[in-house]
Amino acid sequence: NCPMTESEYNAFVDALLGYAKQSGTFNMLSMNAPNIYNLFQREWYAFILPLGLALTVLLTLGWMYSTWQAKAELDNKYIILIAFISAMLIPFLLPKMHDRYFYPADVLSLLLAFYWPSLWFMPILLQLSSGGAISIFLFNADPVFAIYGFLLNAIALTIALRTQRIVEQRETRPIISSSLAW
């Protein structure tokens, strides 16, 4: 009774589970992605991976809930800010990310700078971070560039989350955005 043929169904399942199937290819917490997982040694993989996945789900759901509860006006500026944070947050928190997963955040940082002139430096931070991370692959540069990129991304994400909290005019304790910014 299914309207899809078996081959269409298999293609759908492959597309849906593509990243999950690929996740077992490398036993590394980060593939030059400028996130926190560059700080951990490969021997910690079995311990950090499930912890990182659980923490990512909890923090992302918490951020989504607090954003949903916000009483901010849904104008273009706010939507660009939320889009930037969401594009930045997932590869920043999630283990097993590649450097290329930050590209949407890089592009959105340019839009963010136009809509929020006070955040003019965000594209610069992200381009330095991404440029350092991709240079590891392109030019066989020192992997320490990914750690520097992590620090730049942490600064950018902290500023974006703080900006979100200010725009939403939260008077109560902003537990989720403060903990993410921390």
Side-chain angles (χ1 to χ4, degrees):
N1 294 342
C2 184
M4 286 193 280
T5 66
E6 186 177 343
S7 63
E8 290 172 335
Y9 176 77
N10 290 338
F12 175 73
V13 170
D14 285 344
L16 190 63
L17 300 176
Y19 285 112
K21 290 178 181 179
Q22 292 175 8
S23 68
T25 305
F26 298 104
N27 288 337
M28 296 177 68
L29 290 169
S30 176
M31 297 293 294
N32 299 329
N35 61 18
I36 194 166
Y37 300 102
N38 285 300
L39 302 176
F40 299 104
Q41 296 178 1
R42 189 177 270 200
E43 293 81 28
W44 290 47
Y45 177 84
F47 174 73
I48 297 292
L49 181 65
L51 186 67
L53 291 171
L55 193 62
T56 299
V57 168
L58 290 174
L59 289 174
T60 303
L61 288 175
W63 174 76
M64 289 169 56
Y65 178 76
S66 74
T67 301
W68 177 62
Q69 292 292 319
K71 300 195 176 16
E73 181 182 337
L74 286 177
D75 59 353
N76 289 340
K77 284 177 70 169
Y78 183 72
I79 291 171
I80 295 293
L81 178 66
I82 296 305
F84 170 75
I85 292 172
S86 65
M88 184 78 183
L89 192 61
I90 299 302
F92 187 79
L93 294 175
L94 200 59
K96 299 186 74 70
M97 293 285 101
H98 292 255
D99 47 13
R100 64 181 175 264
Y101 296 141
F102 283 94
Y103 291 165
D106 292 346
V107 172
L108 286 169
S109 72
L110 292 169
L111 287 173
L112 188 67
F114 281 104
Y115 277 92
W116 297 80
S118 62
L119 299 177
W120 60 268
F121 54 90
M122 294 292 259
I124 296 170
L125 288 177
L126 266 66
Q127 291 305 307
L128 288 172
S129 170
S130 292
I134 198 72
S135 70
I136 297 168
F137 171 74
L138 288 178
F139 307 116
N140 202 21
D142 191 346
V144 77
F145 283 122
I147 296 172
Y148 294 141
F150 155 68
L151 294 173
L152 293 174
N153 283 345
I155 291 168
L157 190 57
T158 301
I159 292 168
L161 288 167
R162 183 177 181 276
T163 303
Q164 177 189 4
R165 191 177 71 220
I166 291 169
V167 167
E168 293 172 355
Q169 299 175 349
R170 295 188 196 161
E171 295 178 12
T172 60
R173 292 181 151 196
I175 295 170
I176 299 297
S177 60
S178 293
S179 63
L180 285 171
W182 181 85

